[in-house]
Amino acid sequence: MPTTPPTALHLDDIRTAWLDCIQVNLAVLADHFHGPGTHLRLGARLDLPVRPLPDGLPTADPTLESRLATDAPLAGLRPVRRACLTPPELLAEAARDTGVHYVVADSFHLPWLPYHGNSHMEHSFLLTAGPAGWHVTDAYRIETRWGAAVPGQHVLTTEDLSGFETAELITFAPSEPRQAPPTVTDHDPEPYVTAYAGWPDRVRALEQLSKETWLLARARRLHAAYRAQCAGRAGESDAERAHLAAWDRLVEHTYLAHRRVARGRAEPSGTLDRLHELLTADRQVFAADRTELSRAETDDSHPVDPDLHRMITRIVSDVLGVPARDLRSGAALDSFPSFSSFRLVEIVERVERELGGELDADELVPERLRHIDDLCRLARR
């Protein structure tokens, strides 16, 4: 075991209430590598990725493969290795390499979770070796009937981590995060909702549906936060806020329906109608603001030169007195207290001086100068 403390991982800025158990520790890594707020990019795309569960019920929970192939690169995480390991093999790997290890294992065997001994599902955590034992970081947050999972860091023994048969170890290398446009797919909720409406075992259907609505509601909160970040807004629009509140009420309604039917009582009406309405409303409520989409699409179709991005980030960091890592998440410049019109002029003048030329005067309007990527787009013209 190493004699030095393990890598410090900070959880305070992670929107833990909006992330599922696979996403949440990708989020920790994204912010660790690239600065606070980077993890919101995991919510860039809102869709309904329906696939069948073993018993035939549909789920909209994305697979691990989808998370790694689609979501992780948006947040600046590039998978470079995957291995299925036994507990001794996993711990030997962690002892050899003192970095941070992203691990997915069965929640039934993870002693810091309320699912321990109660429920089987894939669950992620971050593992590092330290002088006092095995350090586990897990940012997951949820209330369950067995108790609460709360974000935290734990020091465990070898015996604590020996319960599962195998776990998947995934190694990431940091890459440049992508400013992808916030996108809502044109999904058809009818087959998904109809499958739950017609499922004969109502206890099983409502048990799974309570998980589904919980996942769907979190995904929409994450997407709304990413949209706000892209637009330089402090939070959701009024329409988005009302829509998200309706999703929260549906989560409560579905759980109530499940508990009543599980006790042999009548199923409350309206749950599936509300689910269909909210899924249909997603695209309308999250209608793209023209300004935020045009900026994101421009950045995605014409990748920013990394050297230019680093240069402008350095200038803005110097002028605003903000750590460069806090700027890499795409946060709006006017979200920092040190920002002002005077500082904006200083930033523009320093960019022009270091580039040895002038930016297009017609483009120098405040609403187009709120992000590092905005300045990069102007500088490369």
Side-chain angles (χ1 to χ4, degrees):
M1 300 288 282
T3 57
T4 56
T7 303
L9 296 169
H10 303 289
L11 308 183
D12 293 345
D13 295 318
I14 306 296
R15 308 293 182 91
T16 56
W18 304 346
L19 295 152
D20 64 41
C21 59
I22 297 298
Q23 286 176 315
V24 71
N25 293 306
L26 293 175
V28 176
L29 285 179
D31 280 19
H32 173 67
F33 286 133
H34 303 295
T38 307
H39 70 280
L40 295 181
R41 299 181 185 218
L42 294 168
R45 178 182 172 87
L46 185 66
D47 58 5
L48 194 67
V50 177
R51 60 185 175 87
L53 292 166
D55 64 0
L57 270 172
T59 181
D61 187 12
T63 62
L64 175 60
E65 286 68 24
S66 172
R67 297 288 194 208
L68 298 180
T70 305
D71 296 346
L74 295 176
L77 301 173
R78 181 170 60 88
V80 294
R81 181 190 171 216
R82 292 180 66 176
C84 188
L85 305 175
T86 64
E89 291 169 337
L90 175 65
L91 298 182
E93 181 76 16
R96 279 194 301 271
D97 178 355
T98 56
V100 181
H101 302 267
Y102 179 88
V103 183
V104 177
D106 185 348
S107 61
F108 189 88
H109 302 293
L110 304 180
W112 64 91
L113 292 172
Y115 301 120
H116 182 230
N118 293 310
S119 182
H120 296 274
M121 67 186 72
E122 285 187 334
H123 189 90
S124 73
F125 61 94
L126 302 174
L127 176 67
T128 55
W134 304 105
H135 292 245
V136 166
T137 299
D138 188 353
Y140 190 49
R141 183 187 297 277
I142 190 176
E143 293 286 339
T144 78
R145 64 178 181 269
W146 306 291
V150 296
Q153 296 170 320
H154 318 272
V155 180
L156 303 180
T157 66
T158 297
E159 184 179 358
D160 292 330
L161 290 170
S162 63
F164 50 85
E165 291 184 10
T166 60
E168 188 152 13
L169 171 66
I170 303 162
T171 304
F172 293 95
S175 59
E176 191 69 28
R178 288 179 51 213
Q179 185 71 34
T183 303
V184 182
T185 63
D186 192 13
H187 44 253
D188 177 11
E190 189 69 35
Y192 178 69
V193 175
T194 299
Y196 279 94
W199 198 258
D201 184 344
R202 299 311 298 159
V203 174
R204 168 67 186 126
L206 290 169
E207 176 189 37
Q208 183 61 36
L209 193 62
S210 67
K211 298 175 185 176
E212 297 291 312
T213 55
W214 179 89
L215 286 165
L216 292 166
R218 286 202 171 194
R220 278 134 189 84
R221 287 204 170 273
L222 184 64
H223 182 70
Y226 180 69
R227 298 187 76 89
Q229 184 186 76
C230 287
R233 291 189 270 111
E236 307 95 354
S237 67
D238 290 343
E240 290 170 349
R241 194 173 299 113
H243 187 60
L244 296 173
W247 270 106
D248 289 342
R249 291 192 293 273
L250 177 60
V251 172
E252 295 169 1
H253 190 179
T254 307
Y255 183 68
L256 175 63
H258 168 236
R259 298 302 295 166
R260 286 183 61 82
V261 172
R263 290 183 171 92
R265 299 180 181 179
E267 179 177 342
S269 63
T271 305
L272 291 160
D273 290 339
R274 292 176 68 185
L275 174 60
H276 193 287
E277 290 170 4
L278 290 176
L279 287 170
T280 302
D282 280 341
R283 191 166 180 83
Q284 177 182 355
V285 172
F286 293 117
D289 175 80
R290 191 178 231 171
T291 301
E292 74 181 56
L293 258 185
S294 64
R295 181 179 66 248
E297 286 171 346
T298 299
D299 291 340
D300 194 45
S301 58
H302 301 286
V304 174
D305 177 78
D307 291 335
L308 176 63
H309 196 279
R310 279 191 289 271
M311 182 198 80
I312 292 179
T313 299
R314 172 178 52 77
I315 290 171
V316 175
S317 175
D318 288 345
V319 172
L320 299 186
V322 174
R325 64 183 177 84
D326 290 354
L327 297 166
R328 296 190 187 112
S329 65
L333 303 187
D334 56 3
S335 68
F336 298 99
S338 55
F339 181 86
S340 68
S341 58
F342 298 104
R343 301 286 80 78
L344 179 58
V345 170
E346 185 179 350
I347 289 168
V348 170
E349 289 179 348
R350 283 191 54 178
V351 169
E352 289 180 327
R353 189 162 60 247
E354 295 208 19
L355 287 175
E358 292 187 6
L359 302 181
D360 185 343
D362 291 337
E363 294 288 331
L364 294 178
V365 291
E367 58 268 27
R368 297 180 184 175
L369 298 171
R370 284 295 183 262
H371 298 78
I372 297 289
D373 289 344
D374 292 336
L375 291 162
C376 289
R377 188 179 70 252
L378 294 179
R380 70 188 176 206
R381 288 187 174 179

